[in-house]
């Protein structure tokens, strides 16, 4: 371990870049590392990523925090602790999967994104490769965040530039920016759900020409797992899937990945899609069953709802609606590694999604999960029976969906209040009619009570008449 200047004593960067998907991409770079070649890992990275590099490579790790340097000091690598501005040497491959925002220190110059990439280019030999992650400030993870990146919240955010930085905000601009700086970019991809630890990666060609249903399913599942139980402005699963369907998957992805060469590009086979720890050989065709069912519910298309539900239960009853792809009459499971569930529980989860998302559906009276599950089970041709308790499957704590549910409850309360007012007016009117009817009945029946009451009324009238007459006599005198 060597201190090169500008190091931050007692400092450690949280949430280093990591995950199996990044490890898969690093393994794809092995043909670019010659025997004994020099590899620079710039920024905080998990130890597992460093282990994915070729065994015979001469690995150098650049970190700015003194505590991070000491924590990794027992590994057979060279550790440089300090600022990017003090970095020297020549390397064959540079890996910056954490981006370039955490390479400068408070003890040195504050580089923006462009200056940081230029600094990495200076230490890269001609023909060398750079694997770079670029966080998208307009990505799904930022659009659903309840806070803003330009408001410093931790000690590491002493320069919270956010979307006002010089980093490119789209794949086309990233490619153009790197090309203008003399880089060749043969591979560009988008990553979900978080820049620090993506679990799904897809390149430009796949996002443009690949099956949208499978891509939506993969991105939606990745966002759902990462944001389970977390407070957000809106459900990131819906936003990520809608962006891919609309052809804006890369533009709204949380991160962009680029393999750039300092000069002519070398041939290397990068995976087109990565899910979890390995590449996906082929994405199946079709659309996600959950999307088709929600669309049919929004249109109140009962025949389509019944056809999809019965086909689902006939072909893939153990898979949830967000894990089934429909291609014509074919129902296929997207991720075979996900655990199966009981058919009733699978339909119950879809009912919970339908209600939690505030979607319009043909059965407005079914305002709870149990009643809607019973209706969907009947539409699927299954016996409703005893609906199990609501599955406590964690989901994003979405503010927009909460407000939509509150709005629907307010509408139901307003409708109930109008009904109550109508019933009260009807009751008052009918109560008056009932009293008059009873009075007539008593009059025509000749009851003793009615007679006494009538005599009392006559006596009262005679007394009042006599009193008025006496008053007039006294007045005339």
């Amino acid at each position: 371990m060597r201190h090169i200047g500008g190091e931050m004593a007692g400092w450690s960067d949280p949430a280093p870049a990591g995950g199996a998907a990044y490890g898969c991409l690093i393994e794809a770079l092995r043909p670019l590392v010659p025997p004994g070649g020099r590899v620079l890992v710039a920024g905080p990275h998990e130890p597992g990523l460093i282990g994915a590099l070729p065994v015979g490579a001469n690995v150098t790790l650049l970190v700015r925090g003194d505590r991070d340097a000491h924590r990794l000091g027992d590994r057979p690598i060279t550790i440089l602790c300090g600022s990017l501005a003090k970095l020297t040497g020549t390397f064959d491959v540079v890996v910056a999967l954490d981006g370039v925002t955490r390479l400068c220190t408070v003890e040195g110059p504050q580089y923006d994104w462009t200056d940081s990439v230029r600094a990495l280019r200076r230490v890269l030999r001609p023909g060398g490769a750079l694997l770079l992650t670029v966080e998208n400030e307009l990505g799904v993870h930022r659009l659903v965040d309840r806070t803003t990146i330009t408001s410093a919240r931790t000690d590491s955010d002493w320069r919270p530039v956010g979307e006002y930085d010089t980093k490119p905000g789209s794949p086309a601009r990233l490619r153009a920016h790197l090309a203008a700086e003399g880089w060749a970019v043969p591979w560009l991809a988008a990553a979900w759900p978080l820049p620090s630890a993506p679990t799904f990666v897809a390149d430009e060609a796949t996002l443009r020409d690949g099956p949208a249903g499978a891509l939506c399913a993969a991105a939606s599942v990745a966002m759902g797992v990462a944001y389970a139980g977390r407070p957000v402005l809106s459900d990131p699963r819906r936003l990520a899937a809608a962006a891919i369907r609309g052809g804006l998957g890369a533009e709204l992805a949380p991160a962009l990945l680029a393999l750039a060469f300092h000069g002519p590009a070398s041939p290397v086979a990068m995976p087109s899609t990565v899910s979890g720890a390995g590449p996906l050989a082929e994405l199946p065709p079709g659309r996600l069953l959950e999307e088709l069912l929600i669309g049919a519910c929004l249109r109140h298309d009962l025949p389509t709802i019944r056809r999809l539900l019965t086909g689902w239960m006939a072909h893939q009853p153990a898979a949830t609606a967000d894990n089934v792809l429909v291609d014509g009459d074919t129902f296929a499971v997207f991720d075979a590694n996900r655990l199966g569930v009981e058919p009733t529980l699978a339909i119950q989860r879809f009912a919970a999604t339908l209600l939690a998302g505030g979607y319009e559906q043909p059965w407005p009276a079914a305002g709870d999960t149990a009643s809607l599950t019973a209706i969907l089970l009947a539409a699927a041709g299954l016996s409703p029976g005893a609906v199990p308790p609501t599955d406590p499957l964690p989901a994003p704590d979405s503010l927009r969906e909460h407000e939509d549910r509150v709005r629907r409850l307010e509408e139901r309360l307003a409708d109930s209040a109008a009904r109550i007012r109508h019933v009260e007016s009807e009751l008052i009117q009918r109560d008056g009619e009932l009293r008059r009817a009873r009075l007539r009945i008593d009059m025509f029946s000749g009851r003793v009570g009615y007679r006494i009451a009538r005599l009392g009324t006559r006596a009262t009238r005679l007394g009042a008449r006599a009193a008025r007459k006496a008053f007039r006599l006294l007045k005339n005198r």
Side-chain angles (χ1 to χ4, degrees), residues 358-446:
Y359 296 104
E360 187 69 28
Q361 41 97 1
W363 309 280
D368 58 277
T369 304
S371 58
L372 184 56
T373 302
I375 293 175
L376 294 175
L377 286 172
L382 301 179
S383 175
V387 178
T390 303
D391 182 30
L393 191 65
D397 184 14
S398 172
L399 181 61
R400 186 178 74 172
E401 277 68 25
H402 280 317
E403 291 187 349
D404 190 73
R405 288 196 293 271
V406 169
R407 178 182 60 80
R408 290 181 177 273
L409 288 175
E410 289 177 346
E411 291 177 354
R412 294 176 62 183
L413 288 174
D415 182 68
S416 299
R419 291 174 180 270
I420 291 174
R421 288 194 298 269
H422 175 72
V423 171
E424 287 179 347
S425 63
E426 288 290 327
L427 287 176
I428 293 173
Q429 180 181 356
R430 294 185 182 184
D431 187 62
E433 294 176 354
L434 181 59
R435 289 178 181 176
R436 289 192 293 271
R438 286 179 176 176
L439 185 61
R440 294 192 184 99
I441 290 173
D442 291 339
M443 179 179 64
F444 290 111
S445 63

Side-chain angles (χ1 to χ4, degrees), residues 332-346:
V333 174
F334 172 67
D335 186 1
N337 295 323
R338 295 174 61 179
L339 297 177
V341 297
E342 293 292 331
T344 303
L345 184 57

Side-chain angles (χ1 to χ4, degrees), residues 70-96:
H70 284 287
R71 179 169 53 87
L72 299 171
D74 58 343
R75 296 182 174 272
I77 59 176
T78 301
I79 300 178
L80 303 180
C81 182
S83 173
L84 176 63
K86 302 292 184 178
L87 180 64
T88 58
T90 304
F91 301 91
D92 299 290
V93 175
V94 175
V95 177

